[in-house]
Amino acid sequence: MLRLDAAPARAFLDEADALDRLRPRVEAAHRAVLDGSGQGGDMLGWRRLLRAPNDALLEDLETTAARIREDADVLLCIGIGGSYLGAKAVIDALTPYFRAPSRRAGNDLFGEAARNAPEILFAGHHMSGAYLRELLAYLDGQSVYVNVISKSGTTLEPALAFRFVRRWLEERFEDANRRIVVTTDPEQGALNALRAEKGYKKYEIPPDVGGRFSVLTPVGLLPIAAAGIDVRSLFYGAVAAFERLAAPEDNAALEYAALRYALHQQGYGTEVLAVFEPRLAGIGGWWQQLFGESEGKEHRGLFPATLQYSTDLHSLGQYLQQGRRTLIETFLMAEHDGGDLRVPATEADLDGLNYLAGQTLRHVNRQAYEGTAHAHAEGGVPVMTLWMDRIAPGPLGELLYFFEHAVAVSAYLLGLNPFDQPGVEDYKRAMFNRLGRP
Ligand code: PA5
């Protein structure tokens, strides 16, 4: 079960009873998330689908994923923002760091399914021509399947990438149309038109689920299942969190939302989410979008930034320790992270590391976390830590829902609609004007 250790951050509150005084507003925001009475209350489908799990859909996704896994060397996922970050986050967290030269050999930390999975690649999340050219060259000679994911079907980055990839696939595979799966709105958008002509397999994105809240719909679940990850455990981990976090008492999501809001009101402007296990960095990317697009409106909201330690302690660590004191820091940690390599002893000890001989790297990394949390708190950064038991599908499902619930409550505390992103349209308008879109 997820656990929030917020004591070090609470010590930074100007008034000791700040959270008690905030309590009625937090509970009202929480109730609005539960009953849909807040702004954007018609976009709570991400909760509805956990209230009434659709096992038939999960089975259908597993069947499609099995077909892809059987036949594909590569599954290319085309999407941007909420249409790729969730899948990438979970896949990065739950698949091996390194792929063996033969896909059949592998790392014992992962199940058979993850070891034998196709490589999952991403496109359509930017518009680099060099990337696309090199990607298509890399794909040559491999058995490729494509999952194109766009709720609107009109987003330029994935739409353009799909045009290139579709032609590439059609030139190489007689059964190209069978190799393409679209995930999109039930009715709207260009992908529905293409699908009607080509007969692609299609999954629907429920209209009441926004992109950044869609990881537990086919948007995230198909790529995740194709990667060999147990999507049922992931989904039901989220269901467990959905049920547990419905109660206002002893609710870590409410505590997290309240604390970051109270600190924001005191003038803190940035929240850093820091991980010590690189495979969790993708969760940071997903979290960044979830909080950035949900809260960054009307000149309000903490700026969310994700860091990967200890790597970034050697770059941004200096700023965290001694830069402007407007940062709060949330560590995302796992009790069991698989890092049980032991430091070997050497006779001569020329590198002077024998004091660590016999220790696991997990222990060393843990001391780095404890030392960093201590030093940053001493240096004036309110720190808190979110603990998972393990990096596994169930706990990750819990974590996804935890953040979704927390961000909705947080945005309501700020008086904002968590489910729209009006600011994103401004750059699009300016870009499309320049491109001469009719
Ligand atoms: O959270 C959101 O709604 C956005 O980030 C979208 O997911 C992103 O813009 C992609 O949109 P679409 O799926 O319509 O291509």
Side-chain angles (χ1 to χ4, degrees):
M1 198 170 97
L2 274 180
R3 187 166 59 77
L4 181 70
D5 174 10
R10 275 200 299 268
F12 283 81
L13 291 170
D14 282 344
E15 289 158 11
D17 65 346
L19 293 183
D20 291 336
R21 287 193 291 106
L22 204 52
R23 186 81 201 161
R25 286 187 55 205
V26 173
E27 290 194 1
H30 172 68
R31 274 197 305 279
V33 174
L34 262 47
D35 64 19
S37 60
Q39 295 186 62
D42 55 343
M43 291 302 288
L44 288 163
W46 50 280
R47 299 195 72 247
R48 179 186 45 72
L49 55 90
L50 298 174
R51 190 180 306 119
N54 184 344
D55 287 318
L57 175 62
L58 290 178
E59 196 174 326
D60 189 307
L61 288 163
E62 284 168 339
T63 305
T64 304
R67 172 167 70 85
I68 294 171
R69 293 156 49 71
E70 188 61 39
D71 198 23
D73 298 320
V74 174
L75 172 65
L76 180 61
C77 299
I78 300 179
I80 194 167
S83 287
Y84 99 103
L85 284 165
K88 180 161 175 25
V90 174
I91 292 168
D92 284 356
L94 295 175
T95 54
Y97 279 121
F98 302 104
R99 301 180 61 80
S102 146
R103 296 200 291 115
R104 307 292 151 186
N107 180 329
D108 285 343
L109 288 173
F110 299 90
E112 179 72 15
R115 286 201 300 273
N116 291 338
E119 188 173 9
I120 312 291
L121 296 177
F122 296 89
H125 52 306
H126 50 62
M127 289 187 280
S128 161
Y131 179 92
L132 203 53
R133 187 203 306 267
E134 289 175 33
L135 172 68
L136 294 179
Y138 173 75
L139 293 179
D140 241 341
Q142 305 206 61
S143 172
V144 177
Y145 278 62
V146 172
N147 183 196
V148 54
I149 308 164
S150 177
K151 188 173 181 194
S152 61
T154 57
T155 309
L156 184 61
E157 291 89 339
L160 257 184
F162 186 45
R163 176 178 276 214
F164 281 99
V165 170
R166 196 165 66 239
R167 190 175 65 178
W168 181 92
L169 214 62
E170 286 168 354
E171 285 169 359
R172 278 158 186 81
F173 298 98
E174 273 179 15
D175 63 346
N177 293 347
R178 210 181 61 87
R179 290 170 175 264
I180 294 174
V181 180
V182 300
T183 306
T184 191
D185 182 85
E187 286 164 21
Q188 310 293 322
L191 285 178
N192 277 306
L194 273 165
R195 186 238 175 194
E197 188 182 310
K198 309 261 187 182
Y200 304 141
K201 167 109 182 134
K202 171 181 161 180
Y203 286 103
E204 294 184 352
I205 309 176
D208 58 356
V209 182
R212 57 191 174 276
F213 290 83
S214 68
V215 55
L216 297 168
T217 72
V219 169
L221 294 178
L222 181 60
I224 292 169
I229 294 163
D230 176 356
V231 283
R232 273 172 206 264
S233 296
L234 180 81
F235 191 89
Y236 278 95
V239 170
F242 165 83
E243 288 167 357
R244 203 167 32 249
L245 296 176
E249 305 81 27
D250 197 18
N251 185 319
L254 299 191
E255 190 183 357
Y256 174 63
L259 193 46
R260 57 197 299 291
Y261 173 76
L263 290 165
H264 187 33
Q265 295 308 101
Q266 279 180 216
Y268 289 90
T270 299
E271 180 183 7
V272 164
L273 185 81
V275 301
F276 272 84
E277 184 57 45
R279 65 167 26 95
L280 291 177
I283 297 287
W286 171 82
W287 166 89
Q288 207 165 248
Q289 187 213 2
L290 184 69
F291 280 77
E293 277 196 348
S294 302
E295 283 194 324
K297 293 163 204 173
E298 300 181 24
H299 301 174
R300 291 177 227 163
L302 286 161
F303 179 80
T306 185
L307 294 182
Q308 185 193 304
Y309 293 163
S310 59
T311 312
D312 289 328
L313 290 175
H314 296 260
S315 61
L316 289 164
Q318 170 61 36
Y319 194 103
L320 266 287
Q321 192 66 51
Q322 294 182 336
R324 292 189 67 208
R325 300 298 72 189
T326 55
L327 300 157
I328 70 174
E329 188 173 35
T330 301
F331 294 96
L332 175 61
M333 297 293 294
E335 295 281 2
H336 303 284
D337 55 14
D340 48 6
L341 271 186
R342 279 188 194 279
V343 180
T346 65
E347 211 166 291
D349 194 23
L350 291 178
D351 54 9
L353 291 176
N354 267 0
Y355 74 100
L356 292 175
Q359 302 284 6
T360 60
L361 281 185
R362 175 168 171 258
H363 170 78
V364 176
N365 211 18
R366 175 67 77 91
Q367 303 319 303
Y369 149 70
E370 287 182 10
T372 305
H374 174 81
H376 288 181
E378 290 286 301
V381 179
V383 304
M384 51 187 150
T385 305
L386 196 53
W387 285 99
M388 291 188 283
D389 296 338
R390 313 166 282 126
I391 305 176
L396 277 178
E398 267 189 68
L399 181 72
L400 296 173
Y401 181 77
F402 169 90
F403 280 134
E404 289 178 345
H405 194 100
V407 79
V409 171
S410 290
Y412 283 157
L413 284 172
L414 288 164
L416 299 168
N417 179 351
F419 308 116
D420 64 0
Q421 53 282 331
V424 178
E425 297 311 313
D426 292 356
Y427 97 85
K428 287 189 190 168
R429 256 191 305 278
M431 174 181 73
F432 284 130
N433 278 343
R434 284 164 174 74
L435 287 171
R437 186 171 79 164

